[in-house]
Amino acid sequence: MSAFDDLLAYDQTTQALGQVAGRLGWDQETMMPRGAAAQRGEEMAAMESVLHARRTDPKVGDWLAAIDAGALAAVDAAKLREIKRSYDRASKVPGDLAAQIARVTSNAQGKWAEAREADDYAAFAPVLAEVIALKREEGAALANGGDIYDAMLEDYEPGTTGADLEAMFGALRPALTELRAAILDKPAPAGVAGRFDEAAQLKLSTLLAETFGYDLTHGRIDKAVHPFSSGSGSDVRITTRTNPEDPFNCFYSTIHEVGHACYEQNIDDAYLLSPLGRGVSMGVHESQSRIYENQLGRSRAFTRWLYGQMRDAFGDFGIADEQAFYAAVNRVSNGYIRTEADEVQYNLHVLLRFDLERALMSGDLTVGDLEAAWNDRFEADFGYAVDKPSNGVLQDVHWSVGLFGYFPTYSLGNVYAGCLHEALRGAVPDLDAQLAQGDTSSATGWLQDNLQVHGSLYEPREVIEKASGRVPGPEPLLAYLTGKFSGIYGL
Amino acid sequence: MSAFDDLLAYDQTTQALGQVAGRLGWDQETMMPRGAAAQRGEEMAAMESVLHARRTDPKVGDWLAAIDAGALAAVDAAKLREIKRSYDRASKVPGDLAAQIARVTSNAQGKWAEAREADDYAAFAPVLAEVIALKREEGAALANGGDIYDAMLEDYEPGTTGADLEAMFGALRPALTELRAAILDKPAPAGVAGRFDEAAQLKLSTLLAETFGYDLTHGRIDKAVHPFSSGSGSDVRITTRTNPEDPFNCFYSTIHEVGHACYEQNIDDAYLLSPLGRGVSMGVHESQSRIYENQLGRSRAFTRWLYGQMRDAFGDFGIADEQAFYAAVNRVSNGYIRTEADEVQYNLHVLLRFDLERALMSGDLTVGDLEAAWNDRFEADFGYAVDKPSNGVLQDVHWSVGLFGYFPTYSLGNVYAGCLHEALRGAVPDLDAQLAQGDTSSATGWLQDNLQVHGSLYEPREVIEKASGRVPGPEPLLAYLTGKFSGIYGL
């Protein structure tokens, strides 16, 4: 066996163990008895220690040093690239620092939940300061003299820098605040009314999952507090949730997670448990969930089909016709919470976080000034004041657990989805006729063939560019949003 | 930190990983999508390779050599004993042999299933011969010049030899064949009639689990093809199954698994994820499942309470009164299948397997002669001929997956349960009055305090002797069975 073969065999076991750790996380959110949390913490820590030891094993370094990268074919070179990235990343962070971050963020998450409950930012600030200090130390170790925030982005979106994002997002903020204001000047469309039976919601949710190509012989759907997708290869599970008064919460959560899950299910089987057998980045992942959910699932054509399904399942629910249903699905209204935001306002919530967390990492913003900075920025973009911290700076879990560099991948995913959607429309001219019949196969098939099948073969921006035929940029997303919402609201 | 502290800390991670592997097994039988089997095989193999490497890590040997065992307190000495046993066992078997056994048995299980389906022993014989050759090689490595079968027993019932079992079981066979014959001379009692709603069965099954003390905040109940209990400490899950025509299948499967699960749940919290935090042997485990299921669950007193519950749940099901219900629950009838056998005949099925597998391991019996030996022995004990291999030598999965030395622990558990039940009756004189009210708390509390709480602190026979106050032997079980069934059948 060559060093490369040895490395791949070793890595396959590591990949399999990573899948096991992911399954434990799924179990924790869906099946675990509530009294098992402390023991589960020990089990997760044991898995993490095994994974960390394998990722930083000196054997891996020896193999990497012995391999002649120039002699490898393209697929093997991509595998080597991914393994090397993981090894370099894991080896740069001292074990003590990694362990301390794990401990501090575990505690900080609890403190954050308490502070949010009490609407008391001051109670959270000291522990957030501790998290940020440790993450900056980690970032400095990773950056090796370079930009700390850029080093953190590498964990979620390899090859993209803060400056790239700033440029890509630069056009979004003014255009979206303007579009938002124009929409909110118009009368709000009616929403759905009544109560929607949970079993009927879950039944239609499963139909939607299958309609978008989710393979239930290699997955399953369960209920959880927060919808998520979990796993790669032949075992990719999703969760959803129900709200008796808002069936769209269930349906669009499902379609969103199906986008993530289909990306994982549709990767080339040859890459199973190899470094290429997973989605390549958070941004590309989010592009799939968002294009399934929004550009396809919230389109005029698809909502026509969904309207019929909902009438069959629930009878009359206060929406008179297809056009009114389309407007209800795409309703824009004021709100403080990112996760509840519509397509127009969602990215404004994310851009706010991106700018603030980048300033926190550079040191330009302190934890003491964060709440005021959040509130000022929110009022500037949305036109009204944050009423309490749980509707503002305390609303998201991310920073408490040390996720810096993660937020912008949400908007990057939307930008990527815009590019892909533009290309898809060109490739499938009669897409709307199909969607109106509840047939997504041309759309999802195009995404599978042009993007999903590649897994981590190409770098994130590379695979978006190959699939969409253009350098990723915000223009298609803005054109799509402006066109869609001008139509709905008569702008 | 001392060598002992280091060893314990290392072992705790290994224990936690063992729990993770167990959870994967649970998932496979309950939740896993059917298309995920191949990937799951890789994931399980990865976990096993990690566990094997940890169990045989030279560090463990160094720590073991550095520890002054004589200086340890009793609990620590017991921890050391368990870790040393695991290390010695794992270190004696060459890695190549262990891997080959894993491969061959994985294939053999499939061949066994096919052969059973086709009722073709000859198709299975060659692969069974291969399994046996490898297991004998492993046994020889473990036995180090001693008896191969005894070495295998150590995996399931440390401290018990084949000769011990032969002596302990010696009295069972003639007494049970005689009791069986006397019972079958009498008219068979009526069974239940009708169809029993699945949801109602599962509801009563859950009530039964709680009635026997199963803690659902640290466990859960799901359906599976084969009932089992899985996990230790604060996450101990069970499965059950339903048959629309036979509600006892569900109810007594549940009580049986609750016996296993309560043993794990009731171990001293201080032993969590330590080598003492699990049931000490298969035989002691089975003593708990069997005493819950039979001596308690199938008692005249408890079936009185259950009869009322079933009347409430299902109305009239063809059983006129409590005494007839008690007889129906304890019905003895002819049958080929071990897992469907009643209390009287069950051990005859096991003793047959014990004698045959011991002869296979010693070389006194060949694979070519096994089917005839099975059929001869069956007819001698049961009085009628085996009609087909799936009702005979091909009925159990155990040998195909290399489990030799496992079968006798079923009967050993029954013998132990007999001893414990005798002592329990002495300790709780009004037990029947409590059971007739559906109150098992004195019985399960006594078992918890005298046996379950200790986990693996004491050796198997030691803990049975401490709890029951007698050297384990078959007399109490025989006296119990003779008394009970003489009463039911008027012998």
Side-chain angles (χ1 to χ4, degrees):
Chain A
M1 293 245 292
S2 69
F4 182 68
D5 292 336
D6 287 339
L7 177 63
L8 273 195
Y10 182 88
D11 183 73
Q12 181 176 323
T13 298
T14 309
Q15 299 285 349
L17 294 169
Q19 290 296 312
V20 173
R23 210 87 62 223
L24 271 195
W26 170 85
D27 183 88
Q28 188 163 332
E29 302 300 324
T30 55
M31 299 292 159
M32 188 182 81
R34 64 187 161 81
Q39 180 174 332
R40 178 56 56 90
E42 297 295 327
E43 293 167 7
M44 288 292 280
M47 288 300 294
E48 286 306 321
S49 77
V50 167
L51 283 165
H52 182 78
R54 292 186 68 90
R55 286 177 184 139
T56 57
D57 194 307
K59 280 202 301 277
V60 176
D62 294 344
W63 282 320
L64 287 171
I67 293 166
D68 175 8
L72 296 176
V75 169
D76 288 343
K79 290 178 178 173
L80 185 70
R81 177 197 77 214
E82 290 296 319
I83 295 174
K84 191 168 179 332
R85 177 178 284 147
S86 163
Y87 175 77
D88 289 346
R89 200 272 177 219
S91 306
K92 277 181 187 163
V93 180
D96 289 352
L97 178 59
Q100 205 186 342
I101 290 174
R103 265 195 308 278
V104 168
T105 54
S106 172
N107 172 55
Q109 186 175 2
K111 295 285 182 198
W112 162 77
E114 288 168 27
R116 187 176 68 155
E117 186 72 26
D119 260 315
D120 182 2
Y121 176 71
F124 177 56
V127 65
L128 178 60
E130 203 180 350
V131 170
I132 287 174
L134 289 168
K135 289 298 289 187
R136 290 183 73 196
E137 192 180 335
E138 182 191 56
L142 291 170
N144 203 15
D147 184 86
I148 287 179
Y149 191 74
D150 288 353
M152 293 179 163
L153 275 174
E154 283 288 303
D155 280 355
Y156 313 111
E157 201 63 29
T160 291
T161 66
D164 292 336
L165 291 171
E166 194 179 319
M168 205 182 274
F169 293 167
L172 287 180
R173 191 178 170 206
L176 291 176
T177 49
E178 192 184 327
L179 178 60
R180 174 189 174 278
I183 290 170
L184 290 173
D185 262 355
K186 298 283 182 176
V192 296
R195 292 183 69 83
F196 297 80
D197 176 65
E198 181 178 62
Q201 285 195 44
L202 291 173
K203 190 175 164 201
L204 183 46
S205 164
T206 301
L207 176 64
L208 283 166
E210 290 175 317
T211 297
F212 275 90
Y214 182 55
D215 174 4
L216 279 161
T217 65
H218 295 95
R220 53 179 290 135
I221 308 175
D222 295 278
K223 277 175 54 181
V225 176
H226 301 288
F228 63 92
S229 166
S230 164
S232 298
S234 63
D235 193 347
V236 187
R237 306 179 184 188
I238 65 169
T239 64
T240 191
R241 61 181 167 196
T242 61
N243 174 336
E245 292 167 0
D246 179 10
F248 297 146
N249 191 318
C250 174
F251 300 153
Y252 287 97
S253 292
T254 296
I255 300 173
H256 181 97
E257 300 309 332
V258 161
H260 284 301
C262 284
Y263 184 12
E264 295 290 340
Q265 286 189 332
N266 291 338
I267 294 171
D268 194 329
D269 287 344
Y271 301 161
L272 185 73
L273 296 180
S274 89
L276 307 186
R278 292 174 306 175
V280 71
S281 74
M282 302 303 302
V284 177
H285 240 298
E286 194 73 6
S287 78
Q288 300 306 290
S289 59
R290 295 299 263 183
I291 197 171
Y292 278 53
E293 177 190 359
N294 290 332
Q295 279 89 349
L296 300 176
R298 288 193 166 95
S299 67
R300 176 68 176 79
F302 187 78
T303 58
R304 176 181 168 182
W305 178 81
L306 180 59
Y307 182 60
Q309 295 296 320
M310 282 187 63
R311 300 269 294 192
D312 291 347
F314 304 108
D316 179 17
F317 48 91
I319 302 288
D321 58 32
E322 287 167 14
Q323 184 61 31
F325 182 77
Y326 176 52
V329 164
N330 288 287
R331 221 167 161 223
V332 176
S333 55
N334 281 332
Y336 298 107
I337 305 297
R338 173 184 60 85
T339 57
E340 299 170 359
D342 51 77
E343 276 187 90
V344 173
Q345 299 182 90
Y346 186 84
N347 292 306
L348 291 173
H349 290 277
V350 173
L351 300 186
L352 178 161
R353 288 154 179 77
F354 167 63
D355 287 334
L356 294 183
E357 71 176 18
R358 211 170 156 219
L360 285 169
M361 284 300 121
S362 72
D364 289 347
L365 178 63
T366 67
V367 169
D369 293 333
L370 174 62
E371 184 176 20
W374 179 293
N375 292 346
D376 289 350
R377 168 69 176 258
F378 187 88
E379 192 158 358
D381 283 0
F382 293 87
Y384 50 97
V386 171
D387 59 347
K388 52 187 181 181
S390 58
N391 278 336
V393 68
L394 288 180
Q395 73 180 263
D396 293 307
V397 70
H398 300 58
W399 291 337
S400 77
V401 293
L403 292 177
F404 292 88
Y406 190 108
F407 276 125
T409 67
Y410 293 131
S411 283
L412 188 60
N414 286 324
V415 166
Y416 287 164
C419 299
L420 294 169
H421 179 237
E422 184 184 63
L424 169 64
R425 286 278 166 186
V428 187
D430 64 339
L431 181 58
D432 280 333
Q434 298 176 29
L435 293 176
Q437 303 298 317
D439 177 4
T440 73
S441 58
S442 291
T444 55
W446 185 88
L447 287 165
Q448 174 169 2
D449 294 344
N450 288 280
L451 187 140
Q452 296 172 351
V453 69
H454 299 307
S456 294
L457 178 62
Y458 303 114
E459 298 267 10
R461 290 165 69 101
E462 189 183 3
V463 77
I464 297 294
E465 192 168 335
K466 276 182 185 286
S468 69
R470 56 162 291 153
V471 175
E475 302 80 10
L477 176 67
L478 282 174
Y480 154 76
L481 290 173
T482 305
K484 172 174 182 174
F485 286 91
S486 295
I488 295 174
Y489 283 89
L491 304 181
Chain B
M1 295 247 289
S2 68
F4 183 68
D5 292 337
D6 287 338
L7 177 63
L8 273 195
Y10 182 87
D11 183 73
Q12 181 176 324
T13 297
T14 310
Q15 300 285 349
L17 295 169
Q19 290 296 311
V20 172
R23 209 87 64 223
L24 270 196
W26 170 85
D27 183 87
Q28 189 163 332
E29 301 300 324
T30 55
M31 300 292 159
M32 188 182 82
R34 64 186 160 81
Q39 181 174 332
R40 177 57 56 89
E42 296 295 326
E43 293 168 7
M44 288 293 281
M47 287 300 295
E48 286 306 321
S49 78
V50 167
L51 283 165
H52 182 77
R54 292 186 69 88
R55 287 178 183 138
T56 56
D57 194 306
K59 281 203 301 278
V60 175
D62 294 344
W63 283 320
L64 287 170
I67 293 167
D68 175 9
L72 295 177
V75 168
D76 288 343
K79 289 179 179 172
L80 186 69
R81 178 197 78 216
E82 290 296 319
I83 295 174
K84 191 169 179 331
R85 177 177 285 145
S86 163
Y87 175 77
D88 288 346
R89 200 273 175 217
S91 306
K92 278 180 187 163
V93 180
D96 288 353
L97 178 59
Q100 205 186 343
I101 289 173
R103 264 195 309 277
V104 168
T105 54
S106 171
N107 172 55
Q109 186 175 1
K111 294 286 183 198
W112 163 77
E114 288 169 24
R116 187 176 69 154
E117 186 73 25
D119 260 314
D120 181 2
Y121 176 71
F124 177 55
V127 65
L128 178 60
E130 202 181 351
V131 171
I132 288 174
L134 289 168
K135 289 297 290 186
R136 291 182 73 197
E137 191 180 337
E138 182 191 57
L142 291 170
N144 202 15
D147 184 87
I148 286 180
Y149 191 73
D150 288 354
M152 291 177 164
L153 275 173
E154 282 289 302
D155 280 355
Y156 313 111
E157 202 64 28
T160 290
T161 65
D164 292 336
L165 291 171
E166 193 178 321
M168 205 184 274
F169 293 166
L172 287 180
R173 191 177 169 208
L176 292 177
T177 48
E178 191 183 328
L179 179 60
R180 174 189 174 278
I183 291 170
L184 290 173
D185 263 355
K186 299 282 183 177
V192 297
R195 291 183 70 83
F196 297 80
D197 176 64
E198 180 176 63
Q201 285 195 44
L202 292 173
K203 190 175 165 202
L204 183 46
S205 164
T206 301
L207 176 64
L208 283 165
E210 290 174 317
T211 296
F212 276 90
Y214 182 55
D215 175 3
L216 280 160
T217 64
H218 296 95
R220 54 179 290 134
I221 308 175
D222 295 277
K223 277 175 54 182
V225 175
H226 301 288
F228 64 91
S229 166
S230 164
S232 298
S234 63
D235 193 348
V236 187
R237 307 179 184 188
I238 65 169
T239 63
T240 191
R241 62 180 167 198
T242 60
N243 174 335
E245 291 168 2
D246 178 11
F248 297 147
N249 191 319
C250 173
F251 300 153
Y252 286 97
S253 292
T254 296
I255 299 174
H256 181 98
E257 300 310 331
V258 161
H260 285 302
C262 285
Y263 183 12
E264 295 290 340
Q265 285 188 333
N266 291 338
I267 294 171
D268 194 329
D269 287 343
Y271 302 161
L272 185 73
L273 295 180
S274 89
L276 307 186
R278 291 174 307 175
V280 70
S281 72
M282 302 304 302
V284 177
H285 240 297
E286 193 74 5
S287 78
Q288 300 307 289
S289 60
R290 294 299 264 183
I291 196 170
Y292 278 53
E293 177 190 358
N294 291 331
Q295 280 89 349
L296 301 175
R298 287 194 166 94
S299 66
R300 176 68 176 79
F302 188 78
T303 57
R304 177 181 167 182
W305 178 82
L306 181 59
Y307 182 59
Q309 296 295 320
M310 283 187 62
R311 301 267 295 191
D312 291 348
F314 303 108
D316 179 18
F317 49 91
I319 303 288
D321 59 32
E322 288 168 13
Q323 184 61 31
F325 183 77
Y326 175 51
V329 165
N330 288 285
R331 218 166 163 224
V332 177
S333 54
N334 282 331
Y336 297 107
I337 305 296
R338 174 184 60 84
T339 57
E340 298 170 359
D342 50 77
E343 276 187 88
V344 174
Q345 298 183 92
Y346 186 83
N347 292 305
L348 291 173
H349 289 278
V350 173
L351 299 186
L352 177 162
R353 288 155 178 77
F354 166 63
D355 287 333
L356 294 183
E357 72 177 17
R358 210 169 156 220
L360 285 169
M361 284 301 121
S362 71
D364 289 347
L365 178 63
T366 66
V367 169
D369 294 332
L370 174 62
E371 185 177 21
W374 179 294
N375 292 345
D376 290 349
R377 168 69 175 257
F378 187 88
E379 191 157 359
D381 283 0
F382 292 87
Y384 50 98
V386 172
D387 60 346
K388 52 186 180 182
S390 58
N391 278 336
V393 68
L394 288 181
Q395 74 182 263
D396 294 307
V397 70
H398 299 58
W399 291 337
S400 78
V401 293
L403 292 177
F404 292 88
Y406 190 108
F407 276 125
T409 67
Y410 292 132
S411 282
L412 188 60
N414 286 324
V415 166
Y416 288 163
C419 300
L420 294 168
H421 179 237
E422 185 184 62
L424 169 64
R425 287 278 167 185
V428 187
D430 64 338
L431 181 58
D432 279 335
Q434 298 175 28
L435 293 176
Q437 302 299 317
D439 177 3
T440 73
S441 58
S442 292
T444 56
W446 186 89
L447 288 165
Q448 174 169 1
D449 294 345
N450 288 279
L451 187 140
Q452 294 171 352
V453 69
H454 299 308
S456 295
L457 179 61
Y458 303 115
E459 298 267 11
R461 289 164 70 102
E462 189 183 4
V463 77
I464 296 295
E465 192 168 336
K466 275 181 185 287
S468 68
R470 57 161 291 154
V471 174
E475 302 80 10
L477 176 66
L478 282 174
Y480 155 77
L481 290 173
T482 306
K484 174 175 180 173
F485 286 90
S486 296
I488 295 174
Y489 282 88
L491 305 181

